[in-house]
Every structure is written in C-alpha cells, then in structure tokens.
Amino acid sequence: MAEFETCVVPFPRRPSPLHESEPSPFPVEAAAELRATMLGNLLDQIAEPDGFQAHNLRLRVTAYSALDLLDELVVLYRRALSEARGGVSHE
C-alpha cells in the first residue's frame, strides 16, 4: 500500500487593513493607528509557527481570531471617522 504524506495547505489570509493607509495627520488618530499596528504585530508573533508556545493550537487559533477581530475593528474605526467627517457610509 502506498504511503501518503499529509500536507496542510494554509488558508490564504486577506490583507490586513492595519498596513493599508497613510498615517493620520491628527495626533490622537495617529496614536490609535500606531497602537492597533503594534497590537497586530504582537498577535502575529504569537500566531507564527515558531512563536510563543507554537505547539499550542488553541493559542494560535485564538491569536488568529484576535487578529481578524482587530482588522474588523480598524475598518469600523476608519468608517466611523469618515462618517463623522461627513463621508458616505458603505453599508
């Protein structure tokens, strides 16, 4: 009987909105964006295969889930800022 090697193909991640914009000219917004980027980088380090407790699948899944939530939070934050400045909602 032939032996088959198992191969898990990672699901492609969508690009993070954390790295898709210019820094805000407003100090408070720039500080919030910076902290979101820093948090995303920390979560990336936890979720990496050679990251903190890489053998712990639950921790890696939690980190990936947190990254997705952070991406959604950034999108909602930017949409709220746009609407507050008179922009059009895309809902």
Side-chain angles (χ1 to χ4, degrees):
M1 185 184 258
E3 288 187 32
F4 295 100
E5 284 188 37
T6 60
C7 179
V8 177
V9 178
F11 190 77
R13 294 181 53 89
R14 67 185 192 284
S16 172
L18 293 174
H19 310 290
E20 294 179 356
S21 71
E22 298 287 322
S24 173
F26 303 102
V28 174
E29 290 174 24
E33 294 274 348
L34 175 64
R35 280 155 181 80
T37 301
M38 291 169 60
L39 181 56
N41 290 338
L42 290 171
L43 290 169
D44 276 335
Q45 289 177 26
I46 292 171
E48 287 177 350
D50 59 342
F52 178 72
Q53 294 189 12
H55 63 281
N56 189 334
L57 182 59
R58 179 181 283 173
L59 182 61
R60 289 182 66 193
V61 169
T62 301
Y64 285 130
S65 297
L67 277 166
D68 286 340
L69 287 171
L70 180 60
D71 287 348
E72 289 178 27
L73 177 70
V74 168
V75 170
L76 291 170
Y77 165 76
R78 290 177 181 163
R79 187 176 296 160
L81 288 176
S82 176
E83 289 178 10
R85 292 186 179 123
V88 178
S89 174
H90 297 286
E91 291 183 33

